[in-house]
């Protein structure tokens, strides 16, 4: 037992000295995740620690790729320094404020993470011609990832149960914080350490030739390939249906074809060493036929993709779907026509396609999407004759579907910092309502509500209008008493100056009713309904200078100030009117 413990500690020590930067990134990522939890209620700090944690998690795979490459070509210090400089630069790609973060940055994070993992798969073999070493290296990485997941899951569960046992048996009352922090440390730093322990000495250990795993052969032969055959039969039947009915393919068929192609390529990679084994004729047959089965489906794939793009223009998701389709076409032609094909081409080419989509000037996904959606917006405005002297005519009668499409494109382009282009389409009077708004959904609502003559073409399942007061303070000058209200079925009695005020909020058909001494009463419901009806053709959030009503009740003057008023309609056409917060001011005449 002692020898095993010493052996394990010795291996941990070797891993620490062999992969210091990988483990540093894992430690920092764990710390960042813990700080995210600590400051989850503090938006600014939570956002800062989120950016930090994302960069450190990305650094785990990136620094491992640098280590594998350095074990092949040397220059360890230079490569690791380059990796750290990249991570620092990547941190500053993100906006300073959380409100400016949008899905564009999410695409950058996801694609960059995929690229960093692809780099791990081929970086040590850029100057190597031995295909089998490349396959053994990636196979061992794949096996180690699976084993890491199993070991880390069991280890994390065991440690958490140990903490529970100590807490319950010895009454320490740890609280939930220790469980969450332990989870983050084990799942991030713990998994990185376990993975590195499985990798042994690194590249020399990972690329050494060993026997083909029986479990991998069984999984590919009896599970993966039969599933692919079922998929391809379904897709071919659907293709025949399209030809018979002569109809355009449905959009989601693109994802099925992409899934079949990618999983099929993965299956070919898994059985690659068996291709030359004459006893494994099923592998040779599958390897030869697979790429030919994709060719007819690629025609269907591009038809489905361009149907959506020609109708709605490019967005980042459509761009990436098209890019993957082009990559698959490239892979198919490479393996069909190149007799000296090498499986390293698969991850290397995918990396280059992804890198192109992120950073290539003018043709990257973000540039193409912005230009396309600008053109689509101008096309919608022109087709509906909404442009007068290159400005949107908000007085012209227009269908609600067109208004929603224009508002969605305004929001899309605003998220991509195209405010100058959008402002040129809005006259100076309406620019004040639109400019300076950082909340992208609020910009969308503002544009939608600028249209004054909207034709309702269809009933919506859900409708919500929120009137919002722009006042950030309550002026109580001239009033003697101040009460805090809310509209969630509340009844309360307040005794003021010997008089009893009975306040009913949100019961029956009344929204806010106030009774004095069980004798006189006043109701603010009509005033609330009248104000909401003034904006009934609008939806979303509408800003008003102030939302307040005054009334006389006996010898008292009442003023109700609302922070917001909300009107909702559900699918059964049931309306609900309420407010989150209101204040009642009272003064005696």
């Amino acid at each position: 037992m002692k020898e095993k413990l010493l052996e394990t500690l010795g291996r941990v020590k070797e891993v620490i000295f062999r992969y210091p930067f990988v483990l540093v990134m894992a430690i920092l990522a764990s710390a960042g995740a813990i700080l995210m939890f600590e400051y989850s209620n503090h938006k600014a700090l939570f956002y800062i620690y989120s950016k930090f944690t994302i960069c450190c998690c990305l650094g785990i795979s990136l620094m491992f790729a640098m280590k594998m490459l350095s074990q092949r070509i040397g220059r360890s210090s230079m490569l690791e320094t380059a990796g750290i400089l990249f991570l620092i630069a990547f941190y500053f790609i993100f906006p300073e404020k959380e409100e400016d973060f949008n899905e564009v940055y999410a695409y950058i994070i996801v694609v960059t993470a995929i690229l960093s993992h692809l780099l791990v798969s081929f970086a040590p073999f850029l100057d190597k011609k031995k295909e089998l070493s490349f396959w053994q290296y990636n196979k061992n990485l794949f096996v180690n990832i699976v084993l890491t997941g199993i070991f880390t899951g069991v280890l994390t569960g065991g440690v958490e149960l140990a903490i529970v046992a100590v807490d319950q048996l010895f009454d320490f009352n740890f609280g939930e914080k220790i469980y969450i922090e332990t989870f983050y440390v084990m799942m991030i730093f713990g998994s990185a350490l376990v993975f590195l322990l499985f990798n042994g000495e690194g590249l020399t250990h990972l690329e050494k030739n060993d026997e083909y795993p029986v479990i991998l052969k069984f999984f590919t032969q009896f599970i993966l390939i039969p599933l692919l055959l079922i998929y391809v039969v379904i897709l071919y039947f659907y293709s025949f249906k399209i030809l018979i009915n002569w109809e355009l393919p449905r959009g989601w068929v693109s994802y099925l074809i992409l899934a079949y192609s990618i999983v099929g390529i993965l299956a070919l990679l898994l059985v690659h060493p068996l291709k030359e084994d004459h006893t494994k004729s099923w592998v040779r047959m599958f390897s030869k036929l697979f790429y030919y089965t994709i060719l007819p489906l690629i025609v269907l794939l591009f038809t489905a993709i361009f149907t959506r793009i020609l109708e709605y223009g490019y967005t980042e998701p459509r761009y990436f779907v098209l890019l993957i389709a082009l990559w698959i076409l490239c892979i198919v032609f490479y393996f069909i026509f190149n007799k000296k094909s090498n499986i390293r081409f698969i991850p290397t080419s995918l990396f280059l396609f992804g890198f192109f989509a992120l950073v290539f000037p003018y043709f990257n996904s973000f540039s193409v999407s912005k230009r396309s959606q600008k053109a689509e917006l101008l096309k919608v405005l022109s087709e509906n004759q909404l442009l007068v002297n290159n400005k949107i005519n908000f007085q012209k009668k227009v269908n609600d579907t067109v208004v929603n499409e224009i508002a969605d494109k305004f929001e899309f382009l605003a998220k991509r910092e195209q405010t100058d282009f959008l402002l040129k389409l809005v006259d100076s009077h309406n620019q004040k309502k639109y400019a300076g708004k950082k909340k992208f959904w609020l910009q969308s609502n503002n544009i939608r509500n600028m249209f004054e003559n909207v034709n309702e073409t269809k009933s919506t399942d859900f409708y919500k209008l929120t009137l919002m007061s722009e006042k950030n303070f309550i002026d109580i000058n001239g009033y003697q008493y101040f009460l805090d209200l809310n509209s969630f079925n509340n009844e309360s009695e307040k005794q003021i100056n010997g008089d009893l005020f009975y306040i009913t909020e949100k019961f029956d058909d009344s929204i806010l009713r106030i009774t004095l001494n069980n004798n006189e009463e006043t109701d603010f419901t009509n005033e609330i309904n009248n104000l909401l009806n003034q904006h009934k053709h609008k939806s979303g959030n509408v800003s008003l200078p102030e939302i307040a009503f005054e009334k006389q009740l006996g010898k008292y003057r009442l003023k109700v100030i609302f922070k917001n008023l909300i009107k909702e309609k559900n699918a059964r056409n049931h309306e609900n009117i309420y407010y989150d917060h209101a204040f009642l001011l009272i003064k005696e005449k």
Side-chain angles (χ1 to χ4, degrees):
M1 182 68 181
K2 183 179 178 180
E3 291 180 359
K4 286 290 183 183
L5 181 60
L6 290 173
E7 182 184 347
T8 302
L9 291 175
R11 291 185 64 187
V12 170
K13 183 179 177 181
E14 289 177 5
V15 164
I16 292 172
F17 283 102
R18 186 174 292 121
Y19 305 99
F21 285 97
V22 178
L23 291 172
V24 166
M25 289 297 162
I27 292 171
L28 292 176
S30 301
I34 290 171
L35 289 170
M36 284 173 62
F37 170 72
E38 288 280 346
Y39 294 97
S40 57
N41 295 323
H42 193 296
K43 287 183 66 176
L45 289 176
F46 177 81
Y47 177 63
I48 290 171
Y49 291 129
S50 297
K51 294 192 296 180
F52 177 78
T53 305
I54 289 169
C55 291
C56 292
C57 287
L58 179 64
I60 296 173
S61 56
L62 180 62
M63 299 311 293
F64 183 77
M66 295 298 100
K67 173 56 70 174
M68 293 296 100
L69 181 57
S70 68
Q71 288 187 344
R72 178 72 71 198
I73 66 172
R75 302 177 184 178
S76 176
S77 298
M78 184 188 75
L79 290 171
E80 288 168 343
T81 302
I84 292 171
L85 291 175
F86 171 82
L87 293 172
I88 293 171
F90 190 77
Y91 177 87
F92 289 103
I93 287 175
F94 301 112
E96 292 185 7
K97 297 181 180 179
E98 182 269 341
E99 62 183 13
D100 296 326
F101 186 92
N102 55 65
E103 68 263 21
V104 172
Y105 299 99
Y107 297 139
I108 294 173
I109 292 168
V110 172
V111 175
T112 306
I114 293 172
L115 293 182
S116 71
H117 285 79
L118 286 171
L119 191 62
V120 172
S121 71
F122 69 83
F125 294 90
L126 291 173
D127 61 345
K128 290 279 288 182
K129 294 184 179 180
K130 290 184 179 180
E131 195 173 30
L132 186 58
S133 296
F134 172 80
W135 185 87
Q136 290 289 354
Y137 166 80
N138 281 281
K139 182 265 295 180
N140 287 324
L141 283 178
F142 175 75
V143 172
N144 289 346
I145 289 170
V146 174
L147 291 176
T148 298
I150 296 170
F151 274 62
T152 304
V154 173
L155 191 59
T156 303
V159 172
E160 295 277 18
L161 286 173
I163 296 172
V164 171
V166 172
D167 189 19
Q168 295 297 318
L169 294 175
F170 298 100
D171 299 322
F172 280 108
N173 298 318
F174 289 133
E176 67 171 5
K177 181 180 175 181
I178 190 172
Y179 298 101
I180 294 173
E181 291 180 351
T182 301
F183 177 82
Y184 287 142
V185 171
M186 296 300 299
M187 294 304 294
I188 300 175
F189 175 74
S191 63
L193 181 61
V194 171
F195 176 74
L196 294 175
L197 285 170
F198 281 127
N199 288 328
E201 297 178 0
L203 188 59
T204 55
H205 173 77
L206 290 168
E207 68 177 350
K208 69 179 181 180
N209 192 9
D210 53 15
E211 292 184 5
Y212 190 91
V214 176
I215 188 67
L216 205 57
K217 175 185 170 184
F218 179 86
F219 171 74
T220 307
Q221 184 176 358
F222 296 106
I223 298 177
L224 202 54
I225 292 178
L227 284 175
L228 286 170
L229 291 174
I230 293 172
Y231 258 105
V232 75
V233 168
I234 294 171
L235 289 171
Y236 268 94
F237 270 110
Y238 179 66
S239 301
F240 293 142
K241 176 179 177 290
I242 289 174
L243 290 173
I244 293 170
N245 296 332
W246 199 245
E247 61 181 6
L248 289 173
R250 298 178 183 178
W252 53 263
V253 74
S254 305
Y255 301 107
L256 288 177
I257 297 173
L258 291 176
Y260 168 73
S261 304
I262 293 171
V263 174
I265 291 170
L266 174 63
L268 283 177
L269 290 174
L270 291 176
V271 298
H272 176 73
L274 303 179
K275 188 170 63 174
E276 305 303 324
D277 190 338
H278 297 289
T279 62
K280 307 293 188 300
S281 57
W282 61 273
V283 175
R284 293 201 309 278
M285 185 180 297
F286 176 71
S287 300
K288 289 180 179 179
L289 294 179
F290 171 73
Y291 291 113
Y292 290 98
T293 64
I294 296 180
L295 281 173
L297 297 177
I298 285 179
V299 177
L300 180 61
L301 174 62
F302 279 104
T303 304
I305 292 171
F306 280 109
T307 298
R308 302 288 293 177
I309 289 174
L310 292 174
E311 187 173 0
Y312 302 108
Y314 283 94
T315 59
E316 288 86 4
R318 291 177 198 138
Y319 180 98
F320 285 117
V321 169
L322 176 60
L323 193 78
I324 295 172
L326 290 170
W327 172 72
I328 290 171
L329 181 63
C330 181
I331 294 294
V332 169
F333 284 154
Y334 175 79
F335 282 97
I336 287 177
F337 297 109
N338 189 348
K339 294 181 179 180
K340 295 181 179 181
S341 58
N342 191 304
I343 58 173
R344 280 183 297 144
F345 181 78
I346 294 173
T348 306
S349 59
L350 184 57
F351 179 90
L352 293 174
F353 271 77
F355 187 79
F356 175 92
L358 276 187
V359 302
F360 199 87
Y362 194 78
F363 293 107
N364 65 67
S365 61
F366 310 110
S367 297
V368 170
S369 298
K370 284 186 286 189
R371 289 198 307 275
S372 176
Q373 290 306 308
K374 283 180 182 179
E376 288 295 317
L377 175 58
L378 293 175
K379 178 183 173 183
V380 172
L381 294 173
S382 298
E383 288 178 347
N384 292 277
Q385 300 178 345
L386 288 170
L387 286 177
V388 177
N389 297 324
N390 295 321
K391 303 289 182 182
I392 299 175
N393 180 10
F394 291 105
Q395 287 75 41
K396 189 178 186 300
K397 189 171 184 179
V398 62
N399 288 340
D400 55 354
T401 53
V402 175
V403 171
N404 289 334
E405 186 176 359
I406 293 170
D408 290 342
K409 293 188 184 302
F410 261 79
E411 181 178 352
F412 180 93
L413 291 168
K415 288 178 179 178
R416 285 141 185 90
E417 300 179 352
Q418 301 302 299
T419 303
D420 291 341
F421 168 80
L422 298 173
L423 285 175
K424 290 178 182 177
L425 299 172
V426 182
D427 57 67
S428 56
H429 171 71
N430 284 306
Q431 278 185 8
K432 296 177 182 178
K433 300 178 183 178
Y434 181 78
K437 301 293 185 181
K438 287 296 184 182
K439 294 180 179 178
F440 305 114
W441 54 266
L442 188 56
Q443 291 183 358
S444 174
N445 286 330
N446 285 342
I447 289 296
R448 188 179 283 107
N449 293 329
M450 285 179 195
F451 286 91
E452 299 176 5
N453 196 356
V454 180
N455 179 35
E456 300 287 341
T457 60
K458 59 179 182 179
S459 59
T460 56
D461 291 338
F462 180 79
Y463 164 85
K464 184 175 182 179
L465 169 66
T466 303
L467 304 181
M468 303 175 65
S469 174
E470 294 177 354
K471 274 200 169 182
N472 294 320
F473 60 89
I474 305 298
D475 184 4
I476 61 173
N477 185 36
Y479 288 86
Q480 299 163 302
Y481 307 101
F482 175 94
L483 296 176
D484 193 359
L485 307 176
N486 67 67
S487 67
F488 298 100
N489 293 335
N490 185 43
E491 293 179 309
S492 59
E493 291 182 358
K494 303 292 181 182
Q495 191 163 12
I496 299 174
N497 200 25
D499 291 308
L500 183 65
F501 287 82
Y502 188 80
I503 303 169
T504 305
E505 302 176 76
K506 199 59 186 142
F507 275 92
D508 302 323
D509 294 327
S510 177
I511 300 171
L512 176 61
R513 184 171 61 246
I514 301 173
T515 306
L516 177 62
N517 295 325
N518 293 319
N519 185 20
E520 300 176 82
E521 75 172 27
T522 187
D523 198 326
F524 289 89
T525 301
N526 287 335
E527 285 75 11
I528 293 171
N529 281 325
N530 289 337
L531 180 62
L532 288 166
N533 286 333
Q534 290 176 25
H535 302 274
K536 63 182 179 180
H537 295 301
K538 301 177 181 179
S539 63
N541 297 288
V542 177
S543 296
L544 299 177
E546 184 182 33
I547 306 174
F549 308 104
E550 291 188 76
K551 280 198 171 188
Q552 197 73 28
L553 181 61
K555 62 180 181 178
Y556 293 96
R557 186 69 179 172
L558 309 180
K559 182 177 182 180
V560 179
I561 302 172
F562 295 91
K563 292 299 292 179
N564 57 38
L565 284 174
I566 303 166
K567 182 177 182 179
E568 290 181 347
K569 183 177 70 174
N570 61 21
R572 290 175 290 181
N573 211 32
H574 175 72
E575 288 189 352
N576 187 26
I577 298 173
Y578 60 94
Y579 50 90
D580 290 331
H581 232 79
F583 308 95
L584 176 63
L585 306 181
I586 304 174
K587 69 176 179 180
E588 189 175 357
K589 290 190 297 183

